[in-house]
Amino acid sequence: MRDCPVYRRALGTLLFGIMALLMTACSPDSTSDQRDNELSATEQKTLTIALVMKTLTNPFFVEMEKGARKAEQEFAIHLVVKTAAQETSILQQIGIIESLIRDQVDAIVIAPGDSIELIPVLKKAQEMGITVINIDNQLDPDFSRKSDLQDVPFISVDNRLAAYRSAKYIADQITSPAKALLMEGIRTAKNADMRMQGAMQAFRENPHIELVASESANWKIDEGYHLMQQWLATYPDVQLVFAANDMMALGIIKAVGEAGRSDILIAGYDAIKEARQAIDEGILQATIDQQAAEQGYLGIQFAIRAINGEKLPQETLIDALLITRDDH
């Protein structure tokens, strides 16, 4: 009877069931495996950090990107670089931030074109869990507090002191009555205001100097050029000019050169390649190296540290270096 087919089939089915139960009991839980894989994927996620600058038409920001790219390689993050068309394209910068919020980036490192207008959209980013780091031009502290934009680390240089040193370099060369001009950046940008204050202080400290005009050329070569043309017509006996960035200084140099004037002392700010060359040629007297690449690098590093929960200083100032012909 034990050799009958029915008995053999029943025994086989019973043995198969027992083996299946044993394999299920001994094998790892598939749900647990899936959960572990998901956790591993989360732990290995590459951070996406956006660097938002004013423009790439200014070599200063090209250097800033180089520093950020160095950090991208060193820290193995994914860097997204966005810029507006011009330094005055504030609405475009706001639109870029809106787009990055939709893309759900992990952090935004911003060199804002305006110290107030960017605050509401950056507050929106912060509310969406995006880390915000401020570099180069400081967001207005008072409006930030009123808008509840909190704990945004700022990385830059002491713009007032640096501009003071640049303007003082040419002011110290004046020993008899002389007229001075001050070309400002965007007036709603805090760094422009600080540079204006620093240059004014340097000029005031020399009793021989009379500051006859201070106007904005919005950081631009062409506006600096046209403004200097107007000034040369209005103040033909001007002897020294401070420009709050090198782009405007290059416009000044062009206008002065076309007028055949080699007696005007000019100081700038940013230490871009063209400015350094003008210093070598004796056309520009001084400029300031505010280490743009270092600002870009630190901005990315600070973003990573903030994401990892580290408490960061509210303000980090790096050295600003006075560049003159003596340094070449």
Side-chain angles (χ1 to χ4, degrees):
M1 183 173 179
R2 290 186 178 181
D3 293 331
C4 73
V6 174
Y7 178 83
R8 286 198 300 270
R9 283 196 299 270
L11 182 60
T13 301
L14 178 61
L15 291 172
F16 179 83
I18 292 170
M19 291 178 65
L21 287 170
L22 289 171
M23 289 177 66
T24 301
C26 295
S27 65
D29 179 21
S30 60
T31 303
S32 177
D33 271 353
Q34 182 178 359
R35 189 184 303 114
D36 290 343
N37 288 337
E38 288 174 354
L39 287 172
S40 178
T42 301
E43 291 170 355
Q44 295 175 7
K45 175 192 172 188
T46 299
L47 295 176
T48 297
I49 300 177
L51 172 65
V52 181
M53 300 181 293
K54 302 173 190 178
T55 179
L56 284 178
T57 60
N58 185 338
F60 173 81
F61 295 107
V62 175
E63 289 300 308
M64 183 176 284
E65 181 182 355
K66 288 180 181 178
R69 292 293 181 193
K70 177 183 176 185
E72 177 186 30
Q73 296 298 317
E74 186 172 324
F75 300 113
I77 57 101
H78 174 52
L79 178 66
V80 177
V81 177
K82 299 286 186 180
T83 65
Q86 301 181 64
E87 297 197 42
T88 52
S89 303
I90 310 304
L91 290 178
Q92 190 177 1
Q93 259 199 338
I94 293 172
I96 289 169
I97 301 298
E98 292 277 10
S99 176
L100 292 170
I101 293 172
R102 290 192 296 271
D103 292 341
Q104 299 181 325
V105 298
D106 295 294
I108 295 172
V109 179
I110 181 147
D114 186 281
S115 293
I116 292 177
E117 294 298 319
L118 274 294
I119 289 175
V121 73
L122 289 171
K123 171 58 179 172
K124 181 179 177 181
Q126 203 174 61
E127 288 173 342
M128 296 299 293
I130 298 172
T131 296
V132 178
I133 305 293
N134 177 203
I135 63 175
D136 178 39
N137 176 39
Q138 187 176 22
L139 296 164
D140 185 87
D142 291 336
F143 194 71
S144 292
R145 281 190 293 271
K146 290 177 183 176
S147 303
D148 202 27
L149 181 66
Q150 300 179 351
D151 299 323
V152 176
F154 172 58
I155 303 165
S156 187
V157 298
D158 186 332
N159 278 281
R160 179 169 181 157
L161 176 60
Y164 169 82
R165 293 177 65 204
S166 181
K168 183 173 172 58
Y169 186 81
I170 56 175
D172 284 350
Q173 298 178 47
I174 300 299
T175 57
S176 59
K179 292 180 179 179
L181 301 166
L182 199 165
M183 193 171 289
E184 306 170 39
I186 297 174
R187 284 178 168 170
T188 53
K190 194 167 182 64
N191 59 350
D193 181 58
M194 292 295 100
R195 294 176 198 179
M196 177 192 70
Q197 291 183 34
M200 281 185 169
Q201 180 184 347
F203 289 156
R204 281 196 302 265
E205 288 178 355
N206 187 329
H208 298 295
I209 295 175
E210 178 189 4
L211 180 62
V212 293
S214 180
E215 296 182 33
S216 172
N218 296 306
W219 306 124
K220 298 179 181 179
I221 291 179
D222 56 344
E223 290 192 32
Y225 168 70
H226 293 301
L227 179 56
M228 191 62 200
Q229 283 185 317
Q230 296 170 22
W231 276 346
L232 287 171
T234 307
Y235 310 104
D237 53 349
V238 64
Q239 287 184 248
L240 64 166
V241 187
F242 171 79
N245 82 341
D246 283 342
M247 299 294 278
M248 295 186 299
L250 294 178
I252 292 170
I253 289 169
K254 181 181 178 184
V256 166
E258 289 178 354
R261 297 286 299 273
S262 59
D263 59 321
I264 299 176
L265 301 176
I266 306 167
Y269 196 112
D270 275 344
I272 64 175
K273 179 181 177 181
E274 294 83 354
R276 290 175 180 269
Q277 183 177 343
I279 286 176
D280 287 340
E281 295 171 357
I283 304 169
L284 185 68
Q285 299 294 310
T287 187
I288 293 292
D289 181 357
Q290 54 174 331
Q291 303 193 70
E294 182 70 4
Q295 290 192 45
Y297 177 89
L298 286 178
I300 303 304
Q301 184 197 70
F302 271 45
I304 296 168
R305 291 167 64 186
I307 290 169
N308 289 333
E310 185 175 341
K311 183 69 175 177
L312 298 171
Q314 283 297 105
E315 184 177 85
T316 299
L317 298 180
I318 62 177
D319 291 336
L321 311 174
L322 177 67
I323 307 298
T324 69
R325 201 167 187 179
D326 298 336
D327 303 301
H328 288 241

